[in-house]
Amino acid sequence: MLAGAGVASSLALFAAAVGARPSGQLDGLFSAADKAVSEAAEHLRIASLVQSLSLEQKVAQLFVIRPEALVGTGPVISVDDALRDALLGCPVGGLVLFDDNVQDPEQVRSLNADLQSLSNEACGLPLFVCVDEEGGTVTRVSDKAAFGVEKPQDMSALAAEHGVDFAKQEGERIGSYLADLGFNLDFAPDADVCDDPDNFIYLRSFGGDPEVVGSYVSAMVSGFRASGTLCCVKHFPGIGHADGDSHTEDIFINKKLEELMGCELLPFKAAVEAGVDLVMVGHGVYSELDSSPASLSRVIVSNILRGDLSYGGLVITDALEMASVSDHFSSSEVGVRALDAGCDLILTPVQFLAAFNGVVDAVREGRLSEKRIDESVTRVVRAKLRLMAGQE
C-alpha cells in the first residue's frame, strides 16, 4: 500500500509539473520522470524482497561472519555438506575470508561461487563475500605468490610516493583482482588520520593531514566504484590518535565533536561525498561524547554519522570479537546494542548463534522493533541488488 501510494504520488507530482512548464523544458521533465519511475520500481522490488523474508532470515542478513562460525570447524576452504546445510538454514548477509581460507585462485573462485549459489538458493539474495585487502601489512590475497598480483603498498607509503591519481588506479586494480576471484566487498581503504609512528594504525593511514587523507580516501573509493567491487572505509569516527590497539584493549579518544569535525571526520566526509558503499565503525570510546564504544553508540552512529555527515548507506561494526568489546559485552547482547545504535551489519561476534538468537529474542520481546530490523535489511537488499545489476 505505502509503496504503491509513493508511486502514485510521484506520478501526480510529475503530471502537475508538466502542466506548469513551458514545452522547452519537457525533455528534462521526461528524463526526471524516467528516473522517478526507475527509483519507484527499485523501491517496490526491495520492499517485496524484504517482505518475503522471515524474521529469522532478515536477522541473518544483518550478520557478516567467518564461515567457520557456521560449522564450528575449520579452516573452511571449500563447501561441504555441513556448510551447505548451515548456510541454507541460516542465510547470513555475508562471509569474510581470512588467510586460512585463501590458498590459490582456483580454490577461491570455486569456494566463492559455491557460497553465492547457496545464498541465492536459500533466500534469493547474493552474499557479501568479504576480505581485508588494504595493502602492506593487511592483505589476504596479494601476499600469496599463487595469485600472481602485485601487493599494494601500505597507505602511508602510497601517499608518500604517489599522487591521488595513483590511489584511484590502485583502488580500481585491487577491486578488479578481487572481483575476478569472486569477492564483492573489500574492507578498505583506511580513513584514519595518523601521524604517530608508534600507533598501530600508522602504516595503514594516508597520513596526519586530514585534508590530504580525505583526498586519497576519496580517490581510492572512486577507484573501487569503477571496479564494481564494494568498499568500506574505516574506523569511524577515527582511531589514529588513540593510545593502544582495540584488538587487545580498550582505547580512548578524548576529543570534543568540534575537534573531530576539524580532523578525524574530514576523510569520512570525503568518502561519503565520493559515494562510499559502507562505513565501518570502530570500537574507540570517545569519552567527551559517550561512554560506550563507538560501534555501540547511538550518538556516534545515528547522530554523527547518519545525522551530521548525512550518510545513508550501510554501516557495519568493526569485528565484535575484539577485546575492546568482547571483554565488556556478551555475544547475546552485543548485536542488539549495535542495531540499537544504528548499525546495519554485525561483524564477527565471538559466538554467532548467541548473537543471532539475541537479536531475534529482542525483536520478539519488543526491545527491538521489526521496523528497525527492516530498515537495515532494506539497505542490505538495496546494496545487493546493485551488485546483481553490475553483474548483468
Side-chain angles (χ1 to χ4, degrees):
M1 292 291 292
L2 290 177
V7 175
S9 175
S10 296
L11 292 176
L13 287 172
F14 172 69
V18 168
R21 296 295 182 98
S23 58
Q25 297 182 8
L26 290 183
D27 287 345
L29 284 171
F30 280 114
S31 177
D34 287 342
K35 181 180 179 182
V37 170
S38 176
E39 289 175 351
E42 181 188 44
H43 177 78
L44 287 169
R45 186 181 181 192
I46 292 169
S48 176
L49 282 167
V50 172
Q51 292 168 10
S52 73
L53 302 174
S54 67
L55 172 61
E56 289 79 7
Q57 287 176 320
K58 287 189 284 191
V59 171
Q61 282 295 302
L62 306 183
F63 281 87
V64 177
I65 59 175
R66 300 169 186 256
E68 291 81 8
L70 284 170
V71 293
T73 58
V76 169
I77 58 173
S78 63
V79 173
D80 60 12
D81 289 343
L83 181 55
R84 174 184 172 82
D85 291 345
L87 193 53
L88 289 176
C90 190
V92 292
L95 293 174
V96 55
L97 303 189
F98 287 88
D99 284 322
D100 288 347
N101 308 116
V102 176
Q103 295 183 339
D104 58 66
E106 182 178 356
Q107 173 264 327
V108 173
R109 289 192 189 101
S110 177
L111 172 61
N112 289 346
D114 289 346
L115 291 173
Q116 287 292 8
S117 177
L118 285 174
S119 180
N120 279 290
E121 181 181 348
C123 63
L125 291 168
L127 188 72
F128 291 134
V129 185
C130 318
V131 68
D132 284 300
E133 185 79 0
E134 295 177 21
T137 58
V138 181
T139 51
R140 309 290 182 235
V141 172
S142 58
D143 59 342
K144 295 179 174 64
F147 291 93
V149 294
E150 181 181 351
K151 183 176 179 179
Q153 297 172 287
D154 282 308
M155 299 300 94
S156 59
L158 188 155
E161 298 174 16
H162 304 281
V164 293
D165 288 344
F166 182 81
K168 181 178 179 179
Q169 293 168 15
E170 278 293 85
E172 186 168 2
R173 183 178 73 90
I174 295 167
S176 295
Y177 72 67
L178 292 179
D180 179 62
L181 296 168
F183 292 105
N184 55 26
L185 171 54
D186 188 9
F187 293 141
D190 193 291
D192 295 304
V193 177
C194 184
D195 56 6
D196 179 5
D198 293 327
N199 189 296
F200 86 101
I201 212 75
Y202 177 75
L203 293 176
R204 300 166 61 187
S205 167
F206 286 112
D209 184 325
E211 297 282 358
V212 171
V213 173
S215 66
Y216 277 91
V217 168
S218 177
M220 188 158 271
V221 167
S222 296
F224 273 107
R225 287 179 63 84
S227 76
T229 298
L230 304 182
C231 69
C232 175
V233 291
K234 53 191 183 185
H235 307 80
F236 189 84
I239 58 174
H241 292 129
D243 293 326
D245 182 345
S246 54
H247 290 82
T248 58
E249 60 187 317
D250 297 347
I251 61 173
F252 297 89
I253 298 91
N254 300 314
K255 287 193 173 188
K256 298 182 183 298
L257 179 58
E258 294 78 9
E259 296 176 282
L260 293 171
M261 284 289 191
C263 184
E264 281 84 354
L265 292 178
L266 290 178
F268 291 98
K269 184 174 185 293
V272 170
E273 291 172 351
V276 72
D277 305 290
L278 289 89
V279 174
M280 179 181 288
V281 185
H283 301 320
V285 176
Y286 298 78
S287 50
E288 294 287 337
L289 304 175
D290 199 349
S291 59
S292 296
S295 54
L296 309 182
S297 168
R298 192 178 297 178
V299 172
I300 301 293
V301 179
S302 294
N303 295 359
I304 298 177
L305 179 55
R306 295 283 191 207
D308 294 336
L309 268 62
S310 301
Y311 178 64
L314 283 167
V315 179
I316 186 170
T317 71
D318 203 348
L320 295 172
E321 60 199 359
M322 292 183 183
S324 52
V325 171
S326 61
D327 283 354
H328 305 289
F329 303 95
S330 68
S331 292
S332 61
E333 66 177 323
V334 74
V336 178
R337 285 178 174 267
L339 292 170
D340 186 60
C343 295
D344 301 305
L345 292 167
I346 301 160
L347 180 63
T348 59
V350 175
Q351 296 178 311
F352 162 61
L353 286 179
F356 170 81
N357 288 327
V359 173
V360 172
D361 290 345
V363 176
R364 288 177 172 160
E365 294 166 6
R367 290 181 287 123
L368 274 178
S369 69
E370 192 160 357
K371 179 182 178 182
R372 171 67 193 89
I373 300 299
D374 288 350
E375 289 173 359
S376 287
V377 177
T378 296
R379 293 190 189 102
V380 169
V381 171
R382 181 179 293 113
K384 291 186 171 185
L385 288 182
R386 289 176 180 168
L387 275 177
M388 293 168 65
Q391 295 167 357
E392 292 174 355

